Amino acid sequence: MRILLTGCKGQVGSALARAVAPLGDLSACDRHGLDLLELQSIRSTVANVKPDIIINAAAYTAVDRAEREKDLAYAVNVEAVKELAREANSINALLIHFSTDYVFDGEKPTPYLETDAPNPMSVYGCSKLEGERAVAASGCRYFIFRTSWVYGPTGRNFMHAILAAAKTKPELRVVDDQRGAPTSSEAIAGAVAQVVASPGLSRKASGLYHLSAGGETTWHGFATAILQSKGLKILVTAIRSDEYPVAARRPTNSLLDNSKIGATFGIALPDWRQGMAAVIAAIH
Ligand SMILES: NC(=O)c1ccc[n+]([C@@H]2O[C@H](COP(=O)([O-])OP(=O)(O)OC[C@H]3O[C@@H](n4cnc5c(N)ncnc54)[C@H](OP(=O)(O)O)[C@@H]3O)[C@@H](O)[C@H]2O)c1
């Protein structure tokens, strides 16, 4: 089985490069190996690799910057995704793609199902939703995994931001009115590897799946847990979202219901605290 992986230096991409390498002949590309802004490179890379599975872990993920870089966000999250899906369809490859809780407006009080109507509130969320729709409309075989609040041992993420801030500030002020499930890149990659290795994969119907860690917290709860697990005694003050102005609006409720992936693939990611402990141990 030949696997083409894009974005292999990102949080999810780097974890995937490790997790799927034992499952087949892996061609892992970072931005220099395959720049998704160059549609011709997508075509030539697919023609060279002839993958059975394309895993697209590349994305424009700068949520706030996307508010002023709409064209760039759409070029990576929509136009390139359309091209990957078109190529996948032309060679009958399976496309595995990722999306986000930010396709929702967060108004629902309970966890979101795949069948709930999206209503993104940011350019990033809109671009990811349009990317999802382009994959579904392409006719290729696909799995789209929507995940949330991703962090990992490497990369720019909330965990590293909190640990860095704790070195210089006596007090941290962290938003406490957004609920979600912090999901480690390692847990996502492990689940995707399980899907890729699952028997009868070629007979599984295309679909959209929610894939996030178990349990729930807020950004304040996550920050507190990160600092506690490192034994750092720093005051973490809970604030409202409107006390921390950012360019892009976030959903108040980012929780995803993961029943469908459980029923289809028997996958249930561990509670977010367990994922966090594993990542904290990895960065010691
Ligand atoms: N991060 C989150 O909290 C979160 C939450 C929900 C869903 N997701 C989704 O999960 C997936 C993986 O996200 P992640 O957290 O792993 O993101 P990430 O760490 O930002 O990685 C994205 C990767 O895409 C690469 N990339 C960007 N533009 C590219 C281009 N034109 N050509 C080739 N590569 C390009 C980046 O390369 P450079 O480093 O060179 O820019 C980076 O390595 C994405 O689909 C994202 O939308 C993420």
Side-chain angles (χ1 to χ4, degrees):
M1 176 165 59
R2 284 185 300 274
I3 302 170
L4 171 62
L5 171 66
T6 69
C8 75
K9 297 263 173 72
Q11 299 192 86
V12 173
S14 54
L16 273 167
R18 292 186 291 275
V20 302
L23 303 178
D25 184 359
L26 174 66
S27 297
C29 301
D30 63 8
R31 182 196 284 271
H32 304 292
L34 174 55
D35 185 341
L36 293 192
L37 293 173
E38 294 170 16
L39 300 185
Q40 179 51 40
S41 300
I42 297 178
R43 293 191 276 272
S44 57
T45 303
V46 171
N48 287 339
V49 176
K50 298 183 184 60
D52 302 293
I53 301 181
I54 300 172
I55 308 180
N56 180 32
Y60 179 103
T61 57
V63 176
D64 291 309
R65 219 167 57 221
E67 296 297 312
R68 54 186 161 81
E69 289 186 346
K70 184 176 176 189
D71 290 352
L72 187 54
Y74 272 69
V76 180
N77 292 347
V78 184
E79 296 312 319
V81 173
K82 262 186 204 165
E83 194 63 32
L84 284 167
R86 199 177 296 133
E87 288 300 307
N89 196 30
S90 72
I91 59 166
N92 198 28
L94 171 69
L95 176 62
I96 294 180
H97 179 64
F98 298 92
S99 190
T100 169
D101 50 309
Y102 286 9
V103 299
F104 295 116
D105 61 18
E107 294 298 319
K108 189 184 175 193
T110 52
Y112 281 95
L113 295 160
E114 290 82 351
T115 47
D116 284 324
N119 184 28
M121 298 183 301
S122 61
V123 168
Y124 168 74
C126 290
S127 73
K128 293 297 292 184
L129 179 61
E130 206 165 315
E132 286 181 7
R133 288 178 171 162
V135 171
S138 70
C140 77
R141 288 178 50 237
Y142 71 87
F143 296 123
I144 297 172
F145 298 111
R146 274 191 196 141
T147 187
S148 68
W149 294 22
V150 178
Y151 67 98
T154 58
R156 278 185 304 271
N157 61 51
F158 181 82
M159 175 180 275
H160 290 302
I162 289 295
L163 290 172
K167 285 190 182 143
T168 56
K169 294 181 183 164
E171 180 204 352
L172 303 183
R173 291 160 55 77
V174 184
V175 168
D176 198 31
D177 57 5
Q178 294 171 25
R179 301 156 65 209
T183 306
S184 85
S185 50
E186 308 293 315
I188 296 168
V192 171
Q194 197 177 323
V195 167
V196 169
S198 60
L201 182 66
S202 60
R203 292 189 302 279
K204 292 259 198 268
S206 286
L208 170 66
Y209 294 87
H210 289 174
L211 174 64
S212 60
E216 69 166 277
T217 186
T218 65
W219 291 113
H220 176 267
F222 189 29
T224 305
I226 291 166
L227 295 170
Q228 271 172 1
S229 69
K230 294 289 279 181
L232 296 167
K233 292 188 180 57
I234 289 171
L235 178 64
V236 189
T237 303
I239 59 169
R240 295 186 312 274
S241 298
D242 62 12
E243 295 176 272
Y244 187 79
V246 282
R249 278 182 68 199
R250 268 81 169 162
T252 335
N253 176 18
S254 272
L255 291 167
L256 302 174
D257 183 304
N258 296 302
S259 315
K260 184 180 172 189
I261 198 165
T264 312
F265 292 105
I267 289 172
L269 297 190
D271 187 271
W272 67 269
R273 292 174 199 81
Q274 209 176 315
M276 184 196 72
V279 175
I280 290 277
I283 61 174
H284 39 264

